[in-house]
Amino acid sequence: MTPTPARALPLTLTESGPATGRPVLVLHGGGGPATVAPIAEHFAGTAPTLLPTHPGWDGTPRPAGLTRVADLAAAYLRLLRERHLSDVLVIGSSLGGWIAAELAAADTEGLISAVALLNAVGIEVDDEPIRDFFALDARGIAEYAYHDPERFHVDPATLPAERLAAMRANSATLRVYSGGPAMNDPALRPRLAAVTVPTLVVWGESDRIATPAYGREYAASFANARMEVVAEAGHLPHLEQPERTFALLDAFAARTTRR
């Protein structure tokens, strides 16, 4: 479906799937909505699915006051409220996982019934810093982010100038929201203990941007979470091992619906 502007903010939403059923909100990371489009397509077969483009990505406008992950979480909570959505399954990848965690912590109305985090960033973990993504070139990103870097490495020299400019703009937007290389909010982790909805933490075993040890600490931060490790996958397990990742997400979705 063609993305359409959302009403409350300059959000761009791609909506797909049936008109009824349990809503699924899919939140992308620094690579933009294309990186989680397979997740949205998978769930759209049976569920109304929302895939926002975070303001500032892919040429979309970002208001000057929208600078924090918490701001994005507030915008998406407002979206759920305005759409009268409940029993929402939120799935977030990388930065999108951080937004999902913030959403769950801020949801005082019980609109969200389950959260799935895929190699999320956002919390501070002693002795497990997140790799400085902004210091890596394209080869370095492939080496640290993927189990099979040769399959996913793209030489920037082969890309058109427009695509390179878009990638640089997305990276600059990521830096704004994440606060820079640390990619965490020290105040987030203590608040996650109050999140009681079921939480699934999925982690690619070969991730060297945010390691599985970091993921275990993330899962331990919630009151009701479990972690699943996906072999032969890195920071984006749904791209390297879609069948394994979707099987975990499907089982979790079936187990946690209120309907």
Side-chain angles (χ1 to χ4, degrees), residues 42-43 46 200 243 245-256:
H42 175 78
F43 278 93
T46 57
L200 176 66
E243 289 188 8
T245 304
F246 292 158
L248 292 170
L249 293 174
D250 287 344
F252 180 66
R255 189 169 63 248
T256 58

Side-chain angles (χ1 to χ4, degrees), residues 130-149:
I130 295 167
R131 180 71 55 180
D132 183 357
F133 172 85
F134 301 103
L136 299 174
D137 59 11
R139 170 60 67 178
I141 291 172
E143 291 289 340
Y144 282 100
Y146 294 103
H147 175 80
D148 183 359

Side-chain angles (χ1 to χ4, degrees), residues 21-26 39 42-49 86-91 112-118 197-202 226 228 244-259:
R22 184 192 196 181
V24 179
L25 175 65
V26 182
I39 299 175
H42 175 78
F43 278 93
T46 57
T49 304
S86 61
D87 190 24
V88 179
L89 169 61
V90 182
I91 303 173
I112 296 166
S113 57
V115 179
L117 311 181
L118 282 64
V197 296
T199 302
L200 176 66
V201 176
V202 177
R226 66 186 182 88
E228 295 284 355
R244 297 176 192 174
T245 304
F246 292 158
L248 292 170
L249 293 174
D250 287 344
F252 180 66
R255 189 169 63 248
T256 58
T257 184
R258 294 173 184 160
R259 302 188 179 193

Side-chain angles (χ1 to χ4, degrees), residues 27-30 54 90-101 103 116-117 120-121:
L27 302 172
H28 69 78
H54 309 321
V90 182
I91 303 173
S93 168
S94 190
L95 179 81
W98 180 355
I99 301 167
L103 269 167
L117 311 181
V121 297

Side-chain angles (χ1 to χ4, degrees), residues 12-27:
T12 298
L13 284 173
T14 297
E15 302 184 59
S16 53
T20 60
R22 184 192 196 181
V24 179
L25 175 65
V26 182
L27 302 172

